[in-house]
Amino acid sequence: MNSKLRKNKSNKITLSVVVLTLLAVGVLCYLFVKTEAPIKINYIDFCDVGSVSCHVTNLPYQNSKLSIDTRVDDLMQRMTQSEKIGQLALIDKNSLKSKNDIAKFGLGGLLSGGGSKPLVNTPEKWLQMVEDFQSYSQKTRLAIPLLYGVDANHGHGNVFGATIFPHLLGLGASNDATLVRQVAKATAEEVLATGINWIYSPNLDVTRDTRWGRTYETFGSDSKLVARLGQAYIEGLQSVEQNGVTSVATAKHYLGNGATDWNSSINKNFFIDQGNTTLSESELRQIDLEPFRQAVKARVPSIMVGLNKWNDEKVVFNKHLLTDILRDELGFQGFVVSDWYGIYEKESDKYQALVRAINAGVDMVMLPYDYQLFFVDMQRALARGDISQTRLDEAVRRVISVKFESGLFDVTSTDSVATSSIGSKEHRELARTAVRKSLVALKNNGVLPITKSTGNILVAGSASSNIGQQSGGWTVEWQGVDGNWIPGTTILQGVQEAVSAKTKVEHDKEGNFSAKQALADIGIAVVGEKPYAEGWGDNAQPQLTDEDLATIAKLKKLSKKIVVVIISGRPLDIDQYSKDWDAVVAAWLPGSEGAGVADVLFGEYPFTGKLPVKWEL
Ligand code: BGC
């Protein structure tokens, strides 16, 4: 055999060896993946049924005299992997299969989403319910308390009898940081009084398109205003302590959630909510990031990631936004929580979705349903190295640090928790002040303020006597309620209270007054939107209903002058009608204290509100 042939042959042998080795490695890898041991959930032993005796006491992390860092270090080194995973899970209380699961999975947090309330909706039942859930967290070996979250967007809205403040858009119109701080403080008092320690507010979205159903949840479209009032809101929420606990505020929805494009929603029922934000990074930074920068400076303990995408990628998967910018640049020290089912929505590979979100920087996952799946996938991801131990520890450390900082480990006593602040006289008075300061006179041909001694006044319109409607979404139910069965005052009642003893006030919702010889001095029409929340309120052309327009027309025929008060979560298209009206007032969604509207209509207080979003007549 000549040397050339020999060389060829040996080349062929080498090639075959390489190919065979590669094949073998491939088969082995395949077999390894195929035979990966099935992951079973390692439950956490707990006192009632577990093998451990009840939790140990007098450990360093339980000692309130030690520094938070020392306590966190001590607790971290005691925690098993399962206990750590549990701390990152946030479940809606209605998704709990059994209360024992709080202990078995060592859950980090529970929440009541919009309308997720106890069977009997009273402050006392809320307190009992939350304390009962909390007692299960205390059955675990380490007794790590639960975070319990709620959307107190305009007061403790889920709770029957709570003070319902104007939605944030109205507070944006007040442009009054001191007022906003007081409203937030009162809200935190009412929330803490029900044993709840975590508040998903303030909303720091900067609204661009007022057709969006969440417009009213924001302070408006001016990023600087949102930043200033957001900071005041956070300070207010954090200024209250009850039984050693300070409520944990949440700035939401990071980032660009107020700038999504029309018709880009991933939800087929919505148009713009949960949509895609098309913006350059510099625009995003200039407008949307500012309020969050301010919130971080105000030491907000948690930040919720939006359900939106940014340039076609879900924000919840975006490491650049969640880690490079939020952590490394802004220096955020608290924990990042994802929004409702946000990491899983429309994801066919839920495992990958979880891995991506955690690695991007989500610390706690608002699942909010399937915690079994979360546990299995987290353990698998850690076993495979798809999520590192370091990343797990980092996230857990952030969550439990906030729990220590807010005093949850050191609750002094719950005996003296007083639900009496809920809907108290002082809070209702504050809400009434907030209503006064939020009103904006869009047009006034000299009819405002109305003289208190005016002879006769006709009041009509769908929102003239409807506390549910004037409160908007996130009131008792997620989508709000209709009617006067929740405590408060209607705008009609406010008018009746405001006028002189000899003024005659007549009311008919539809404006069907019996024809008189003489015209009434003033007709007041209180009209507007029916309650809605989130994407259900997306509306291509927000406007008055035909029914409201007909009522106004009837009222106009019977009155010398007409004042139209608009109850709405955003500007309505009234351009073609408003020229026939003598005055138009934007009252936004004032909440339970409708009397505040009359205070200003009748000149007890001046109009001081300024438009927080564009509304041209
Ligand atoms: C909303 C959040 C809210 C969460 C919990 C989601 O649908 O987008 O703003 O905090 O539900 O109720």
Side-chain angles (χ1 to χ4, degrees), residues 92 111-114 149-151 153 200-201 203 205 214 217 250 252-253 257 273-274 304-307 338-341 366 474 478 534:
D92 183 85
L111 82 139
S112 276
V150 81
D151 292 283
N153 294 340
Y200 302 141
S201 196
N203 183 319
D205 298 339
R214 304 196 79 161
E217 286 185 55
T250 309
K252 67 184 189 185
H253 304 86
N257 193 49
D273 191 41
Q274 301 181 14
M304 190 189 291
V305 187
L307 297 169
S338 57
D339 196 356
W340 193 270
Y341 203 60
M366 195 191 293
W474 300 98
W478 180 39
E534 300 194 35

PDB file of all heavy atoms in Angstrom, residues 92 111-114 149-151 153 200-201 203 205 214 217 250 252-253 257 273-274 304-307 338-341 366 474 478 534, ligand 1:
ATOM      1  N   ASP A  92     -53.535  33.923  43.901  1.00  0.00           N
ATOM      2  CA  ASP A  92     -54.806  34.558  44.249  1.00  0.00           C
ATOM      3  C   ASP A  92     -55.503  33.661  45.262  1.00  0.00           C
ATOM      4  O   ASP A  92     -55.530  32.438  45.105  1.00  0.00           O
ATOM      5  CB  ASP A  92     -55.693  34.733  43.017  1.00  0.00           C
ATOM      6  CG  ASP A  92     -56.974  35.462  43.383  1.00  0.00           C
ATOM      7  OD1 ASP A  92     -56.944  36.700  43.405  1.00  0.00           O
ATOM      8  OD2 ASP A  92     -57.978  34.795  43.675  1.00  0.00           O
ATOM      9  N   LEU A 111     -52.920  36.989  47.280  1.00  0.00           N
ATOM     10  CA  LEU A 111     -53.532  38.264  46.929  1.00  0.00           C
ATOM     11  C   LEU A 111     -55.031  38.120  46.747  1.00  0.00           C
ATOM     12  O   LEU A 111     -55.532  37.024  46.495  1.00  0.00           O
ATOM     13  CB  LEU A 111     -52.921  38.853  45.651  1.00  0.00           C
ATOM     14  CG  LEU A 111     -53.418  38.346  44.291  1.00  0.00           C
ATOM     15  CD1 LEU A 111     -53.558  39.510  43.312  1.00  0.00           C
ATOM     16  CD2 LEU A 111     -52.501  37.310  43.724  1.00  0.00           C
ATOM     17  N   SER A 112     -55.695  39.248  46.894  1.00  0.00           N
ATOM     18  CA  SER A 112     -57.091  39.364  46.497  1.00  0.00           C
ATOM     19  C   SER A 112     -57.086  40.266  45.271  1.00  0.00           C
ATOM     20  O   SER A 112     -56.871  41.472  45.391  1.00  0.00           O
ATOM     21  CB  SER A 112     -57.910  40.052  47.592  1.00  0.00           C
ATOM     22  OG  SER A 112     -58.317  39.134  48.563  1.00  0.00           O
ATOM     23  N   GLY A 113     -57.307  39.681  44.101  1.00  0.00           N
ATOM     24  CA  GLY A 113     -57.449  40.506  42.903  1.00  0.00           C
ATOM     25  C   GLY A 113     -58.774  41.257  42.984  1.00  0.00           C
ATOM     26  O   GLY A 113     -59.521  41.109  43.959  1.00  0.00           O
ATOM     27  N   GLY A 114     -59.081  42.073  41.960  1.00  0.00           N
ATOM     28  CA  GLY A 114     -60.320  42.861  41.981  1.00  0.00           C
ATOM     29  C   GLY A 114     -61.525  41.988  42.285  1.00  0.00           C
ATOM     30  O   GLY A 114     -61.788  41.031  41.563  1.00  0.00           O
ATOM     31  N   GLY A 149     -51.536  40.807  49.320  1.00  0.00           N
ATOM     32  CA  GLY A 149     -51.657  41.983  48.452  1.00  0.00           C
ATOM     33  C   GLY A 149     -53.073  42.275  47.997  1.00  0.00           C
ATOM     34  O   GLY A 149     -53.904  41.376  47.871  1.00  0.00           O
ATOM     35  N   VAL A 150     -53.317  43.555  47.739  1.00  0.00           N
ATOM     36  CA  VAL A 150     -54.633  43.976  47.276  1.00  0.00           C
ATOM     37  C   VAL A 150     -54.486  45.227  46.415  1.00  0.00           C
ATOM     38  O   VAL A 150     -53.544  45.996  46.581  1.00  0.00           O
ATOM     39  CB  VAL A 150     -55.538  44.235  48.517  1.00  0.00           C
ATOM     40  CG1 VAL A 150     -55.290  45.593  49.124  1.00  0.00           C
ATOM     41  CG2 VAL A 150     -56.991  44.050  48.208  1.00  0.00           C
ATOM     42  N   ASP A 151     -55.430  45.407  45.489  1.00  0.00           N
ATOM     43  CA  ASP A 151     -55.404  46.622  44.663  1.00  0.00           C
ATOM     44  C   ASP A 151     -56.203  47.714  45.357  1.00  0.00           C
ATOM     45  O   ASP A 151     -57.408  47.817  45.170  1.00  0.00           O
ATOM     46  CB  ASP A 151     -56.047  46.351  43.303  1.00  0.00           C
ATOM     47  CG  ASP A 151     -55.201  45.413  42.485  1.00  0.00           C
ATOM     48  OD1 ASP A 151     -54.185  45.859  41.944  1.00  0.00           O
ATOM     49  OD2 ASP A 151     -55.543  44.220  42.405  1.00  0.00           O
ATOM     50  N   ASN A 153     -56.631  50.805  44.745  1.00  0.00           N
ATOM     51  CA  ASN A 153     -56.348  51.815  43.713  1.00  0.00           C
ATOM     52  C   ASN A 153     -56.920  53.181  44.026  1.00  0.00           C
ATOM     53  O   ASN A 153     -56.407  54.199  43.585  1.00  0.00           O
ATOM     54  CB  ASN A 153     -56.984  51.399  42.382  1.00  0.00           C
ATOM     55  CG  ASN A 153     -56.349  50.164  41.816  1.00  0.00           C
ATOM     56  OD1 ASN A 153     -55.236  49.831  42.191  1.00  0.00           O
ATOM     57  ND2 ASN A 153     -57.030  49.492  40.910  1.00  0.00           N
ATOM     58  N   TYR A 200     -51.037  47.184  45.789  1.00  0.00           N
ATOM     59  CA  TYR A 200     -50.594  47.281  44.390  1.00  0.00           C
ATOM     60  C   TYR A 200     -50.904  48.667  43.839  1.00  0.00           C
ATOM     61  O   TYR A 200     -51.730  48.844  42.943  1.00  0.00           O
ATOM     62  CB  TYR A 200     -51.256  46.196  43.539  1.00  0.00           C
ATOM     63  CG  TYR A 200     -50.968  44.805  44.036  1.00  0.00           C
ATOM     64  CD1 TYR A 200     -51.952  43.826  44.024  1.00  0.00           C
ATOM     65  CD2 TYR A 200     -49.712  44.471  44.540  1.00  0.00           C
ATOM     66  CE1 TYR A 200     -51.689  42.549  44.497  1.00  0.00           C
ATOM     67  CE2 TYR A 200     -49.444  43.203  45.017  1.00  0.00           C
ATOM     68  CZ  TYR A 200     -50.432  42.246  44.988  1.00  0.00           C
ATOM     69  OH  TYR A 200     -50.169  40.979  45.466  1.00  0.00           O
ATOM     70  N   SER A 201     -50.251  49.630  44.359  1.00  0.00           N
ATOM     71  CA  SER A 201     -50.468  51.008  43.990  1.00  0.00           C
ATOM     72  C   SER A 201     -49.225  51.765  44.443  1.00  0.00           C
ATOM     73  O   SER A 201     -48.590  51.330  45.413  1.00  0.00           O
ATOM     74  CB  SER A 201     -51.722  51.498  44.723  1.00  0.00           C
ATOM     75  OG  SER A 201     -52.207  52.667  44.167  1.00  0.00           O
ATOM     76  N   ASN A 203     -50.150  53.399  40.535  1.00  0.00           N
ATOM     77  CA  ASN A 203     -49.976  53.137  39.115  1.00  0.00           C
ATOM     78  C   ASN A 203     -49.172  54.311  38.522  1.00  0.00           C
ATOM     79  O   ASN A 203     -49.598  55.459  38.621  1.00  0.00           O
ATOM     80  CB  ASN A 203     -51.364  53.053  38.476  1.00  0.00           C
ATOM     81  CG  ASN A 203     -51.306  52.705  37.008  1.00  0.00           C
ATOM     82  OD1 ASN A 203     -50.454  53.212  36.282  1.00  0.00           O
ATOM     83  ND2 ASN A 203     -52.204  51.864  36.560  1.00  0.00           N
ATOM     84  N   ASP A 205     -48.120  54.442  35.275  1.00  0.00           N
ATOM     85  CA  ASP A 205     -48.178  54.444  33.812  1.00  0.00           C
ATOM     86  C   ASP A 205     -48.423  55.871  33.325  1.00  0.00           C
ATOM     87  O   ASP A 205     -49.181  56.624  33.943  1.00  0.00           O
ATOM     88  CB  ASP A 205     -49.330  53.561  33.310  1.00  0.00           C
ATOM     89  CG  ASP A 205     -49.156  52.101  33.727  1.00  0.00           C
ATOM     90  OD1 ASP A 205     -48.014  51.701  34.024  1.00  0.00           O
ATOM     91  OD2 ASP A 205     -50.162  51.384  33.762  1.00  0.00           O
ATOM     92  N   ARG A 214     -57.574  51.826  31.060  1.00  0.00           N
ATOM     93  CA  ARG A 214     -56.901  52.045  32.340  1.00  0.00           C
ATOM     94  C   ARG A 214     -56.476  53.492  32.514  1.00  0.00           C
ATOM     95  O   ARG A 214     -55.755  53.801  33.472  1.00  0.00           O
ATOM     96  CB  ARG A 214     -55.685  51.122  32.472  1.00  0.00           C
ATOM     97  CG  ARG A 214     -56.015  49.660  32.321  1.00  0.00           C
ATOM     98  CD  ARG A 214     -54.920  48.743  32.832  1.00  0.00           C
ATOM     99  NE  ARG A 214     -54.970  48.643  34.276  1.00  0.00           N
ATOM    100  CZ  ARG A 214     -54.383  47.656  34.971  1.00  0.00           C
ATOM    101  NH1 ARG A 214     -53.715  46.699  34.362  1.00  0.00           N
ATOM    102  NH2 ARG A 214     -54.465  47.629  36.286  1.00  0.00           N
ATOM    103  N   GLU A 217     -56.798  54.986  35.910  1.00  0.00           N
ATOM    104  CA  GLU A 217     -55.956  54.443  36.985  1.00  0.00           C
ATOM    105  C   GLU A 217     -54.639  55.212  37.092  1.00  0.00           C
ATOM    106  O   GLU A 217     -53.845  54.954  37.991  1.00  0.00           O
ATOM    107  CB  GLU A 217     -55.628  52.974  36.716  1.00  0.00           C
ATOM    108  CG  GLU A 217     -56.774  52.015  36.939  1.00  0.00           C
ATOM    109  CD  GLU A 217     -56.324  50.579  36.779  1.00  0.00           C
ATOM    110  OE1 GLU A 217     -55.369  50.170  37.452  1.00  0.00           O
ATOM    111  OE2 GLU A 217     -56.914  49.866  35.941  1.00  0.00           O
ATOM    112  N   THR A 250     -46.399  49.336  45.924  1.00  0.00           N
ATOM    113  CA  THR A 250     -45.940  48.753  44.654  1.00  0.00           C
ATOM    114  C   THR A 250     -46.078  49.777  43.533  1.00  0.00           C
ATOM    115  O   THR A 250     -47.184  50.267  43.279  1.00  0.00           O
ATOM    116  CB  THR A 250     -46.817  47.536  44.265  1.00  0.00           C
ATOM    117  OG1 THR A 250     -46.878  46.664  45.374  1.00  0.00           O
ATOM    118  CG2 THR A 250     -46.258  46.807  43.062  1.00  0.00           C
ATOM    119  N   LYS A 252     -46.322  50.412  39.700  1.00  0.00           N
ATOM    120  CA  LYS A 252     -46.648  49.561  38.554  1.00  0.00           C
ATOM    121  C   LYS A 252     -47.043  50.429  37.384  1.00  0.00           C
ATOM    122  O   LYS A 252     -47.387  51.605  37.602  1.00  0.00           O
ATOM    123  CB  LYS A 252     -47.760  48.570  38.923  1.00  0.00           C
ATOM    124  CG  LYS A 252     -49.124  49.216  39.206  1.00  0.00           C
ATOM    125  CD  LYS A 252     -50.134  48.185  39.665  1.00  0.00           C
ATOM    126  CE  LYS A 252     -51.525  48.783  39.740  1.00  0.00           C
ATOM    127  NZ  LYS A 252     -52.518  47.877  40.279  1.00  0.00           N
ATOM    128  N   HIS A 253     -47.013  50.016  36.144  1.00  0.00           N
ATOM    129  CA  HIS A 253     -46.592  48.710  35.662  1.00  0.00           C
ATOM    130  C   HIS A 253     -45.348  48.974  34.829  1.00  0.00           C
ATOM    131  O   HIS A 253     -45.442  49.644  33.803  1.00  0.00           O
ATOM    132  CB  HIS A 253     -47.649  48.080  34.768  1.00  0.00           C
ATOM    133  CG  HIS A 253     -49.004  47.962  35.429  1.00  0.00           C
ATOM    134  ND1 HIS A 253     -49.933  48.959  35.429  1.00  0.00           N
ATOM    135  CD2 HIS A 253     -49.561  46.927  36.100  1.00  0.00           C
ATOM    136  CE1 HIS A 253     -51.034  48.550  36.064  1.00  0.00           C
ATOM    137  NE2 HIS A 253     -50.835  47.328  36.486  1.00  0.00           N
ATOM    138  N   ASN A 257     -46.198  50.725  29.913  1.00  0.00           N
ATOM    139  CA  ASN A 257     -47.544  50.150  29.855  1.00  0.00           C
ATOM    140  C   ASN A 257     -48.607  51.165  29.417  1.00  0.00           C
ATOM    141  O   ASN A 257     -49.674  50.784  28.953  1.00  0.00           O
ATOM    142  CB  ASN A 257     -47.880  49.574  31.241  1.00  0.00           C
ATOM    143  CG  ASN A 257     -49.089  48.684  31.245  1.00  0.00           C
ATOM    144  OD1 ASN A 257     -49.191  47.788  30.409  1.00  0.00           O
ATOM    145  ND2 ASN A 257     -50.001  48.916  32.157  1.00  0.00           N
ATOM    146  N   ASP A 273     -55.080  47.581  25.857  1.00  0.00           N
ATOM    147  CA  ASP A 273     -54.543  47.067  27.118  1.00  0.00           C
ATOM    148  C   ASP A 273     -53.833  45.740  26.834  1.00  0.00           C
ATOM    149  O   ASP A 273     -54.285  44.962  25.992  1.00  0.00           O
ATOM    150  CB  ASP A 273     -55.690  46.858  28.116  1.00  0.00           C
ATOM    151  CG  ASP A 273     -55.173  46.578  29.511  1.00  0.00           C
ATOM    152  OD1 ASP A 273     -54.194  47.233  29.912  1.00  0.00           O
ATOM    153  OD2 ASP A 273     -55.734  45.705  30.199  1.00  0.00           O
ATOM    154  N   GLN A 274     -52.734  45.491  27.519  1.00  0.00           N
ATOM    155  CA  GLN A 274     -51.897  44.305  27.299  1.00  0.00           C
ATOM    156  C   GLN A 274     -51.369  44.276  25.857  1.00  0.00           C
ATOM    157  O   GLN A 274     -51.271  43.237  25.233  1.00  0.00           O
ATOM    158  CB  GLN A 274     -52.675  43.013  27.591  1.00  0.00           C
ATOM    159  CG  GLN A 274     -53.187  42.948  29.007  1.00  0.00           C
ATOM    160  CD  GLN A 274     -53.948  41.679  29.341  1.00  0.00           C
ATOM    161  OE1 GLN A 274     -53.909  40.707  28.609  1.00  0.00           O
ATOM    162  NE2 GLN A 274     -54.640  41.696  30.457  1.00  0.00           N
ATOM    163  N   MET A 304     -44.106  46.218  40.077  1.00  0.00           N
ATOM    164  CA  MET A 304     -44.818  45.205  39.293  1.00  0.00           C
ATOM    165  C   MET A 304     -44.558  45.421  37.807  1.00  0.00           C
ATOM    166  O   MET A 304     -44.653  46.544  37.309  1.00  0.00           O
ATOM    167  CB  MET A 304     -46.327  45.277  39.570  1.00  0.00           C
ATOM    168  CG  MET A 304     -47.112  44.115  38.987  1.00  0.00           C
ATOM    169  SD  MET A 304     -48.906  44.349  39.108  1.00  0.00           S
ATOM    170  CE  MET A 304     -49.173  44.233  40.864  1.00  0.00           C
ATOM    171  N   VAL A 305     -44.250  44.323  37.129  1.00  0.00           N
ATOM    172  CA  VAL A 305     -43.962  44.403  35.695  1.00  0.00           C
ATOM    173  C   VAL A 305     -45.280  44.350  34.915  1.00  0.00           C
ATOM    174  O   VAL A 305     -46.164  43.555  35.234  1.00  0.00           O
ATOM    175  CB  VAL A 305     -43.094  43.204  35.257  1.00  0.00           C
ATOM    176  CG1 VAL A 305     -42.658  43.360  33.816  1.00  0.00           C
ATOM    177  CG2 VAL A 305     -41.887  43.063  36.147  1.00  0.00           C
ATOM    178  N   GLY A 306     -45.394  45.158  33.893  1.00  0.00           N
ATOM    179  CA  GLY A 306     -46.624  45.223  33.110  1.00  0.00           C
ATOM    180  C   GLY A 306     -46.880  43.973  32.276  1.00  0.00           C
ATOM    181  O   GLY A 306     -45.987  43.136  32.070  1.00  0.00           O
ATOM    182  N   LEU A 307     -48.110  43.889  31.786  1.00  0.00           N
ATOM    183  CA  LEU A 307     -48.473  42.768  30.905  1.00  0.00           C
ATOM    184  C   LEU A 307     -48.197  43.135  29.451  1.00  0.00           C
ATOM    185  O   LEU A 307     -48.547  42.388  28.536  1.00  0.00           O
ATOM    186  CB  LEU A 307     -49.967  42.446  31.081  1.00  0.00           C
ATOM    187  CG  LEU A 307     -50.377  41.961  32.478  1.00  0.00           C
ATOM    188  CD1 LEU A 307     -51.897  41.925  32.626  1.00  0.00           C
ATOM    189  CD2 LEU A 307     -49.794  40.581  32.759  1.00  0.00           C
ATOM    190  N   SER A 338     -44.205  39.884  39.020  1.00  0.00           N
ATOM    191  CA  SER A 338     -44.861  39.915  37.711  1.00  0.00           C
ATOM    192  C   SER A 338     -46.348  40.163  37.921  1.00  0.00           C
ATOM    193  O   SER A 338     -46.865  40.000  39.023  1.00  0.00           O
ATOM    194  CB  SER A 338     -44.631  38.597  36.970  1.00  0.00           C
ATOM    195  OG  SER A 338     -45.099  37.515  37.743  1.00  0.00           O
ATOM    196  N   ASP A 339     -47.047  40.573  36.875  1.00  0.00           N
ATOM    197  CA  ASP A 339     -48.480  40.835  36.966  1.00  0.00           C
ATOM    198  C   ASP A 339     -49.243  39.541  36.628  1.00  0.00           C
ATOM    199  O   ASP A 339     -48.689  38.588  36.070  1.00  0.00           O
ATOM    200  CB  ASP A 339     -48.869  41.981  36.012  1.00  0.00           C
ATOM    201  CG  ASP A 339     -50.241  42.561  36.318  1.00  0.00           C
ATOM    202  OD1 ASP A 339     -50.934  42.035  37.213  1.00  0.00           O
ATOM    203  OD2 ASP A 339     -50.637  43.541  35.655  1.00  0.00           O
ATOM    204  N   TRP A 340     -50.484  39.564  36.907  1.00  0.00           N
ATOM    205  CA  TRP A 340     -51.453  38.452  36.759  1.00  0.00           C
ATOM    206  C   TRP A 340     -51.174  37.537  35.556  1.00  0.00           C
ATOM    207  O   TRP A 340     -51.400  37.921  34.417  1.00  0.00           O
ATOM    208  CB  TRP A 340     -52.836  39.091  36.610  1.00  0.00           C
ATOM    209  CG  TRP A 340     -53.969  38.152  36.761  1.00  0.00           C
ATOM    210  CD1 TRP A 340     -54.564  37.449  35.763  1.00  0.00           C
ATOM    211  CD2 TRP A 340     -54.666  37.836  37.971  1.00  0.00           C
ATOM    212  NE1 TRP A 340     -55.583  36.701  36.275  1.00  0.00           N
ATOM    213  CE2 TRP A 340     -55.678  36.918  37.642  1.00  0.00           C
ATOM    214  CE3 TRP A 340     -54.536  38.229  39.300  1.00  0.00           C
ATOM    215  CZ2 TRP A 340     -56.565  36.389  38.575  1.00  0.00           C
ATOM    216  CZ3 TRP A 340     -55.408  37.713  40.237  1.00  0.00           C
ATOM    217  CH2 TRP A 340     -56.406  36.801  39.865  1.00  0.00           C
ATOM    218  N   TYR A 341     -50.715  36.331  35.797  1.00  0.00           N
ATOM    219  CA  TYR A 341     -50.495  35.308  34.764  1.00  0.00           C
ATOM    220  C   TYR A 341     -49.574  35.806  33.640  1.00  0.00           C
ATOM    221  O   TYR A 341     -49.507  35.227  32.562  1.00  0.00           O
ATOM    222  CB  TYR A 341     -51.861  34.868  34.184  1.00  0.00           C
ATOM    223  CG  TYR A 341     -51.831  33.483  33.550  1.00  0.00           C
ATOM    224  CD1 TYR A 341     -51.493  32.380  34.300  1.00  0.00           C
ATOM    225  CD2 TYR A 341     -52.156  33.305  32.212  1.00  0.00           C
ATOM    226  CE1 TYR A 341     -51.463  31.111  33.729  1.00  0.00           C
ATOM    227  CE2 TYR A 341     -52.135  32.039  31.638  1.00  0.00           C
ATOM    228  CZ  TYR A 341     -51.789  30.949  32.400  1.00  0.00           C
ATOM    229  OH  TYR A 341     -51.758  29.706  31.847  1.00  0.00           O
ATOM    230  N   MET A 366     -46.558  36.350  40.159  1.00  0.00           N
ATOM    231  CA  MET A 366     -48.002  36.328  40.413  1.00  0.00           C
ATOM    232  C   MET A 366     -48.546  35.265  39.465  1.00  0.00           C
ATOM    233  O   MET A 366     -48.811  35.522  38.299  1.00  0.00           O
ATOM    234  CB  MET A 366     -48.627  37.695  40.116  1.00  0.00           C
ATOM    235  CG  MET A 366     -50.028  37.855  40.683  1.00  0.00           C
ATOM    236  SD  MET A 366     -50.903  39.318  40.087  1.00  0.00           S
ATOM    237  CE  MET A 366     -49.982  40.666  40.775  1.00  0.00           C
ATOM    238  N   TRP A 474     -63.010  48.824  39.949  1.00  0.00           N
ATOM    239  CA  TRP A 474     -62.249  48.511  41.168  1.00  0.00           C
ATOM    240  C   TRP A 474     -62.997  48.991  42.407  1.00  0.00           C
ATOM    241  O   TRP A 474     -62.402  49.503  43.350  1.00  0.00           O
ATOM    242  CB  TRP A 474     -60.855  49.159  41.136  1.00  0.00           C
ATOM    243  CG  TRP A 474     -59.983  48.731  40.007  1.00  0.00           C
ATOM    244  CD1 TRP A 474     -59.793  49.413  38.840  1.00  0.00           C
ATOM    245  CD2 TRP A 474     -59.161  47.554  39.904  1.00  0.00           C
ATOM    246  NE1 TRP A 474     -58.904  48.726  38.027  1.00  0.00           N
ATOM    247  CE2 TRP A 474     -58.500  47.586  38.660  1.00  0.00           C
ATOM    248  CE3 TRP A 474     -58.913  46.467  40.750  1.00  0.00           C
ATOM    249  CZ2 TRP A 474     -57.627  46.579  38.236  1.00  0.00           C
ATOM    250  CZ3 TRP A 474     -58.036  45.480  40.335  1.00  0.00           C
ATOM    251  CH2 TRP A 474     -57.402  45.548  39.086  1.00  0.00           C
ATOM    252  N   TRP A 478     -64.308  43.946  40.578  1.00  0.00           N
ATOM    253  CA  TRP A 478     -63.266  44.382  39.630  1.00  0.00           C
ATOM    254  C   TRP A 478     -63.837  45.403  38.629  1.00  0.00           C
ATOM    255  O   TRP A 478     -63.266  46.477  38.398  1.00  0.00           O
ATOM    256  CB  TRP A 478     -62.719  43.146  38.906  1.00  0.00           C
ATOM    257  CG  TRP A 478     -61.657  43.381  37.891  1.00  0.00           C
ATOM    258  CD1 TRP A 478     -60.628  44.277  37.984  1.00  0.00           C
ATOM    259  CD2 TRP A 478     -61.509  42.695  36.646  1.00  0.00           C
ATOM    260  NE1 TRP A 478     -59.840  44.181  36.858  1.00  0.00           N
ATOM    261  CE2 TRP A 478     -60.352  43.221  36.034  1.00  0.00           C
ATOM    262  CE3 TRP A 478     -62.211  41.679  36.011  1.00  0.00           C
ATOM    263  CZ2 TRP A 478     -59.908  42.773  34.786  1.00  0.00           C
ATOM    264  CZ3 TRP A 478     -61.757  41.229  34.778  1.00  0.00           C
ATOM    265  CH2 TRP A 478     -60.627  41.773  34.175  1.00  0.00           C
ATOM    266  N   GLU A 534     -59.682  47.853  33.352  1.00  0.00           N
ATOM    267  CA  GLU A 534     -58.656  47.289  32.454  1.00  0.00           C
ATOM    268  C   GLU A 534     -59.154  47.254  30.998  1.00  0.00           C
ATOM    269  O   GLU A 534     -59.913  48.121  30.573  1.00  0.00           O
ATOM    270  CB  GLU A 534     -58.214  45.920  32.964  1.00  0.00           C
ATOM    271  CG  GLU A 534     -57.624  46.014  34.379  1.00  0.00           C
ATOM    272  CD  GLU A 534     -56.860  44.787  34.816  1.00  0.00           C
ATOM    273  OE1 GLU A 534     -56.209  44.151  33.988  1.00  0.00           O
ATOM    274  OE2 GLU A 534     -56.897  44.472  36.024  1.00  0.00           O
TER     275      GLU A 534
HETATM  276  C1  BGC B   1     -53.647  44.163  36.926  1.00  0.00           C
HETATM  277  C2  BGC B   1     -52.773  44.701  38.045  1.00  0.00           C
HETATM  278  C3  BGC B   1     -53.284  44.233  39.370  1.00  0.00           C
HETATM  279  C4  BGC B   1     -53.361  42.730  39.373  1.00  0.00           C
HETATM  280  C5  BGC B   1     -53.806  42.134  40.693  1.00  0.00           C
HETATM  281  C6  BGC B   1     -53.926  42.681  37.052  1.00  0.00           C
HETATM  282  O1  BGC B   1     -54.953  42.297  36.208  1.00  0.00           O
HETATM  283  O2  BGC B   1     -53.029  44.427  35.680  1.00  0.00           O
HETATM  284  O3  BGC B   1     -52.730  46.100  37.978  1.00  0.00           O
HETATM  285  O4  BGC B   1     -52.455  44.706  40.382  1.00  0.00           O
HETATM  286  O5  BGC B   1     -54.280  42.323  38.370  1.00  0.00           O
HETATM  287  O6  BGC B   1     -55.141  42.351  40.931  1.00  0.00           O
END
